[in-house]
Amino acid sequence: MVRANENYLKLRGSYLFSEIGRRVREYQTLHPDAEVIRLGIGDVTQPLAKEVITALHHAVDEMGSADTFRGYAPDLGYSFLRETIARCDYTDRGCDISPDEIFVSDGAKCDCANIQEIFAPDSSIAVCDPVYPVYVDSNVMAGRTGEYNPGAGCYKGVIYMPCTEGNRFVPDFPDKTPDLIYLCFPNNPTGAVMKKEQLQDWVNYAINNGSVILFDAAYEAYIAQEDIPHSIYECRGAKSCAIEFRSFSKTAGFTGLRLGYTVIPKDLKAGGVSLWQLWARRHGTKYNGAPYIVQRAGEAVYSEKGREQVRQQIAYYMENARIIREGLTAAGYSAFGGENAPYIWLKTPGGTDGWKFFDTLLTKANVVGTPGAGFGPAGEQYLRLTAFGSRENTIKAIERIRQL
Ligand code: PLP
């Protein structure tokens, strides 16, 4: 008799965004004239850069002519894109990464969810708390985490590394050594960053303990400070202990277009087995490549004009982040992040529960944030605000919160 994968039944209900939606709908039904501003959603709002649009049009035309038509893409990505990425994102920044260590995909979410497949089923995992939920959920589906304990807000078999005001939202080394360590900096949801020495300490820890770091750099384009690494490969020895994920989503507004990549150095081994080879095999078996036209659009992001246009989009969001952070601080709130990341981690006043504060902001200021509890127990007294809204709405929302 057929049986379902019961690991899926262990997943904690993904009620966060549906519960937010329910509360907003309920409020709007009672107050149909209220103008609700959403600063909770992690999706971009600016249109694609002109250079990207031009490249898309050109690639579409190529698909319409027999001489330039392309069928299946090479499963690891077109070399024009892999070479551009290797040069612009790595060698130009002093990192020794070659084009064939880059695996092009349709986004970082699938890669960071799927990467666990190439590790042993009994590998132990460590995540930051709060955390981007995909890392944990993908391991739950693979049967690696044990049951969820609703009281503690944790899975029994996961090592949670609390990120609090006390450690500036950068985790300390865990008591128990994990096999896999998920790190995401600049961080979603806290907006925190790691300095180069801090990331180097993690690389040394991984090398000394035989662990692998899964480094999510989806927000590296938002880094403004000099001493913050854009890639884990800026650290000594990282090629022997780290995998890196990158995304075009927040860097160039590709959330709807879909493009990302994963770097697996050829030196990286687990128990003597090449992880590059396993991922190449997995990619070749389960994935048929990102679309040609999207890879051409990705290449355009690195052109001189493309870079400038994308830089302006990021500057727009970062100005929103500044308005949020400074506005909240001036109003007496404790707000973190927003300097090298598009996320602001707002502490609830007087230690109020995040959902209660969510309701206050919704009903008194008509502003929607994301309660931090949705990202882990250490987020319970926080709310995540994002800088991805329009300037007008961002200013209006902060003014309303200030007047509370
Ligand atoms: N990693 C982090 C930390 C994210 O916040 C997101 C998107 O919200 C992703 C990965 C997913 O990126 P993509 O759109 O490339 O799948």
Side-chain angles (χ1 to χ4, degrees):
M1 169 96 141
V2 64
R3 288 174 58 224
N5 179 349
E6 288 177 6
N7 293 323
Y8 279 61
L9 306 180
K10 294 182 190 150
L11 284 165
R12 162 197 184 198
S14 67
Y15 84 116
L16 178 67
F17 289 100
S18 53
E19 179 60 16
I20 291 173
R22 192 191 65 73
R23 290 187 191 209
V24 173
R25 273 194 307 280
E26 196 175 286
Y27 179 76
Q28 284 184 314
T29 310
L30 293 172
H31 304 89
D33 296 332
E35 186 209 356
V36 172
I37 299 177
R38 290 163 196 271
L39 290 189
I41 296 168
D43 197 358
V44 291
T45 50
Q46 295 275 298
L48 291 166
K50 283 212 169 63
E51 278 302 285
V52 169
I53 295 294
T54 306
L56 282 169
H57 281 303
H58 182 72
V60 168
D61 287 343
E62 284 183 293
M63 295 299 257
S65 160
D67 323 337
T68 47
F69 168 79
R70 315 275 181 134
Y72 286 122
D75 38 58
L76 306 190
Y78 281 102
S79 55
F80 63 78
L81 182 60
R82 298 167 87 199
E83 279 163 17
T84 307
I85 290 170
R87 180 167 38 83
C88 300
D89 285 345
Y90 295 100
T91 41
D92 285 358
R93 301 192 70 92
C95 305
D96 174 25
I97 294 293
S98 66
D100 60 358
E101 292 174 314
I102 289 161
F103 296 77
V104 174
S105 72
D106 60 3
K109 187 183 206 172
C110 351
D111 287 354
C112 43
N114 291 328
I115 198 74
Q116 43 77 28
E117 282 185 24
I118 63 170
F119 295 94
D122 60 352
S123 305
S124 56
I125 67 158
V127 296
C128 292
D129 171 18
V131 65
Y132 177 55
V134 171
Y135 312 145
V136 177
D137 288 359
S138 53
N139 278 287
V140 176
M141 291 170 180
R144 211 174 263 123
T145 59
E147 299 296 330
Y148 183 65
N149 175 349
C154 295
Y155 286 91
K156 264 194 218 134
V158 176
I159 301 168
Y160 290 87
M161 305 183 289
C163 295
T164 61
E165 210 177 328
N167 57 20
R168 305 297 296 167
F169 306 102
V170 170
D172 300 316
F173 299 128
D175 298 335
K176 209 173 129 217
T177 307
D179 296 317
L180 300 174
I181 303 162
Y182 287 86
L183 294 179
C184 170
F185 289 93
N187 188 263
N188 175 12
T190 65
V193 282
M194 263 199 201
K195 294 212 162 135
K196 188 156 173 199
E197 313 86 78
Q198 292 175 303
L199 189 56
Q200 183 67 60
D201 286 346
W202 273 98
V203 166
N204 297 345
Y205 174 89
I207 293 171
N208 293 336
N209 290 289
S211 312
V212 168
I213 297 178
L214 303 170
F215 190 71
D216 186 342
Y219 296 97
E220 66 74 36
Y222 290 82
I223 293 172
Q225 257 168 272
E226 284 288 317
D227 53 349
I228 311 296
H230 288 244
S231 163
I232 195 164
Y233 304 115
E234 290 177 41
C235 297
R236 277 183 323 279
K239 281 182 74 177
S240 66
C241 70
I243 290 175
E244 180 163 294
F245 307 100
R246 293 274 188 112
S247 167
F248 285 68
S249 286
K250 310 297 161 66
T251 306
F254 277 41
T255 51
L257 209 52
R258 311 303 307 143
L259 193 64
Y261 66 87
T262 291
V263 181
I264 307 195
K266 293 214 162 151
D267 297 351
L268 183 58
K269 297 206 164 62
V273 177
S274 157
L275 292 172
W276 185 97
Q277 272 181 350
L278 298 194
W279 189 244
R281 184 64 204 264
R282 188 216 174 265
H283 224 56
T285 302
K286 295 198 175 181
Y287 187 60
N288 252 342
Y292 172 70
I293 59 171
V294 178
Q295 295 197 46
R296 280 291 183 202
E299 183 190 29
V301 170
Y302 295 92
S303 66
E304 203 177 312
K305 281 194 200 154
R307 279 184 201 228
E308 179 49 30
Q309 291 164 3
V310 160
R311 199 194 55 73
Q312 283 173 16
Q313 289 177 348
I314 291 172
Y316 178 92
Y317 295 132
M318 289 312 283
E319 176 59 10
N320 285 350
R322 188 194 63 76
I323 291 167
I324 299 173
R325 194 185 67 251
E326 291 183 3
L328 293 172
T329 310
Y333 290 96
S334 294
F336 305 91
E339 285 172 299
N340 296 283
Y343 296 114
I344 289 90
W345 195 232
L346 170 61
K347 195 165 181 188
T348 62
T352 326
D353 163 82
W355 277 109
K356 255 199 197 137
F357 188 53
F358 169 91
D359 287 336
T360 306
L361 284 193
L362 173 63
T363 56
K364 303 247 161 51
N366 295 168
V367 173
V368 180
T370 308
F375 301 97
E380 254 160 35
Q381 289 168 3
Y382 290 87
L383 205 81
R384 187 191 74 172
L385 298 177
T386 82
F388 292 125
S390 70
R391 178 67 38 78
E392 191 194 345
N393 277 349
T394 303
I395 293 173
K396 217 187 273 178
I398 298 309
E399 202 40 51
R400 289 187 196 164
I401 298 177
R402 286 178 68 154
Q403 281 171 15
L404 272 187

